[in-house]
Amino acid sequence: MEHITTSAIEQSCPTAVTLGNFDGVHMGHRRLIKTAKEYAEKENIKSVVFTFSPHPMFLFGNRENNALIMSPEEKMLAIEEMGVDTYIEYPFDREFASMPPEDFAVNILFKKMKCRALIVGYDYRFGKQNSGDYKLLEKLGKEYGVETIFVPNVVYEGERVSSTKIRECLVNRDVEGANRRLTEPYYIFGQVSEGKKLGRKLGFPTVNIIAHEDKLFPPNGVYATVTVYEGKAYYGITNVGYNPTVNGKYKTVETNLFDFHKDIYGEKILTFFFKWLRDERKFPSVEALRDEIARNTVTTKEYFSSEEYKYWKENFESKYKTVEK
């Protein structure tokens, strides 16, 4: 997949472009991307996902109160996995944000991208003060010979699927609700760092992830997770938080992988979240913490053998070689 992160986006051949922020690459986004791919394959042209960096919410909102369902690297991985030809993260700043929607559509999308088909959602807004919409794109498309394809909202449980709703689910510990809307479970992708080795002393060694600073973490607590390393998936439990029992000061993501005995410092892993087990809390002693982790391990193994996990066992685990029990 070609990956462009500058304004030098000129294409040498016709394209089918889908446009949006794509945070989370949820089921609605996937329908847009699938439509662009299908059109491109039918017409023998390139499929393009066109998004922006940084996310506009960081430019216009308080950065401390905003976070991404997917880090930029995670989003790129998800889009590449869908088989897109070109992925563009166009530089987004206030000057670009003030561009009239007509100029963006004609000069950037139609001319520079050699766009033959433009695929967007019905509610997509763009350009200065969000004044551009699908009606404007349809009008301009007719003038410049670009087919505009409008994809209706995707609905789950009677509600439009959106990144906002998924963030809400995660903040409220509704991991299953977020995962169903994402179609692939929420995950954290990051490099394994060397921690304090407290888990090893307790008999539950952990791998610690350094994730992107703009990543949306679920609430502090303990979760049933599956971690993918070298194409294999391992059940485990993950603690998100500060380790208050030992007076931790920094937020960490620590995962105990069942029956996993390798040192993988510096390597990158994917940890998928499936179920919230309990809030993080301070225990009266390290021994009490050890006993609680043992109980959490039993609960987690029961979950992965339950009917509750059956959907994901059939629709998630099949992607990977094996799952260690």
Side-chain angles (χ1 to χ4, degrees):
M1 181 181 75
E2 179 186 24
H3 183 207
I4 300 173
T5 59
T6 70
S7 58
I9 61 170
E10 290 81 358
Q11 298 295 303
S12 59
C13 62
T15 62
V17 179
T18 184
L19 185 66
N21 290 313
F22 299 101
D23 186 26
V25 194
H26 58 59
M27 59 172 62
H29 298 147
R30 289 174 183 272
R31 184 169 293 181
L32 290 168
I33 295 170
K34 183 181 178 182
T35 302
K37 278 190 59 188
E38 289 174 346
Y39 186 98
E41 290 169 2
K42 182 181 69 174
E43 299 295 328
N44 196 28
I45 58 179
K46 289 174 66 174
S47 59
V48 178
V49 172
F50 193 115
T51 188
F52 308 95
S53 180
H55 192 293
M57 70 181 178
F58 289 137
L59 189 66
F60 297 110
N62 183 337
R63 197 177 189 92
E64 292 183 358
N65 294 328
N66 288 297
L68 299 168
I69 299 167
M70 283 182 167
S71 70
E73 190 172 11
E74 289 168 349
K75 185 163 69 171
M76 184 186 72
L77 287 173
I79 290 172
E80 184 173 29
E81 190 177 59
M82 291 192 69
V84 171
D85 294 316
T86 300
Y87 174 47
I88 296 174
E89 292 181 275
Y90 198 89
F92 192 87
D93 55 24
R94 291 191 179 276
E95 180 180 357
F96 178 77
S98 67
M99 180 183 295
E102 295 85 354
D103 290 351
F104 172 66
V106 174
N107 296 329
I108 293 181
L109 294 178
F110 295 174
K111 293 183 178 180
K112 288 188 177 182
M113 294 299 302
K114 289 186 169 55
C115 182
R116 186 179 293 175
L118 183 62
I119 297 92
V120 295
Y122 266 100
D123 58 347
Y124 186 71
R125 310 285 301 193
F126 66 100
K128 186 177 181 180
Q129 297 179 339
N130 276 338
S131 56
D133 59 11
Y134 76 91
K135 291 182 180 178
L136 176 63
L137 289 174
E138 187 173 47
K139 174 179 174 293
L140 294 173
K142 289 178 180 177
E143 293 177 14
Y144 287 86
V146 176
E147 184 175 354
T148 48
I149 301 171
F150 306 109
V151 176
N153 291 327
V154 174
V155 175
Y156 178 78
E157 292 189 343
E159 187 175 3
R160 181 178 73 90
V161 174
S162 68
S163 298
T164 299
K165 179 62 180 179
I166 292 167
R167 291 190 190 96
E168 179 185 312
C169 287
L170 290 170
V171 168
N172 291 321
R173 301 174 180 81
D174 180 11
V175 182
E176 177 71 10
N179 289 350
R180 287 299 186 107
R181 290 168 172 84
L182 287 167
T183 71
E184 181 174 71
Y186 165 91
Y187 63 82
I188 295 176
F189 176 73
Q191 187 177 57
V192 177
S193 65
E194 189 168 357
K196 296 180 179 179
K197 297 184 172 66
L198 173 63
R200 185 171 298 179
K201 295 175 183 176
L202 292 172
F204 299 95
T206 61
V207 291
N208 307 323
I209 299 178
I210 300 175
H212 194 278
E213 61 182 355
D214 291 327
K215 175 78 174 179
L216 173 67
F217 293 99
N220 292 351
V222 178
Y223 296 82
T225 57
V226 173
T227 295
V228 174
Y229 171 68
E230 291 189 338
K232 293 185 179 181
Y234 300 83
Y235 295 130
I237 54 173
T238 297
N239 183 82
V240 177
Y242 293 88
N243 294 313
T245 304
V246 293
N247 300 313
K249 295 181 180 179
Y250 302 101
K251 191 163 190 171
T252 60
V253 180
E254 299 180 79
T255 302
N256 169 239
L257 303 178
F258 305 154
D259 301 317
F260 186 86
H261 308 288
K262 298 179 181 179
D263 286 331
I264 55 174
Y265 299 132
E267 299 192 52
K268 291 187 175 182
I269 58 174
L270 287 164
T271 296
F272 294 86
F273 287 64
F274 288 92
K275 185 176 180 63
W276 171 82
L277 301 177
R278 64 170 174 84
D279 285 324
E280 183 180 48
R281 63 181 184 268
K282 186 170 183 175
F283 291 87
S285 66
V286 171
E287 289 73 21
L289 172 60
R290 180 192 295 118
D291 292 343
E292 179 63 22
I293 294 173
R295 285 191 290 270
N296 296 155
T297 298
V298 172
T299 300
T300 298
K301 289 182 177 180
E302 290 174 348
Y303 165 73
F304 284 122
S305 298
S306 70
E307 284 294 310
E308 186 179 356
Y309 181 66
K310 184 178 180 181
Y311 171 85
W312 294 110
K313 190 171 188 65
E314 296 173 351
N315 293 280
F316 168 76
E317 289 188 11
S318 59
K319 292 178 59 177
Y320 303 102
K321 295 178 182 176
T322 60
V323 176
E324 299 295 333
K325 304 296 182 184

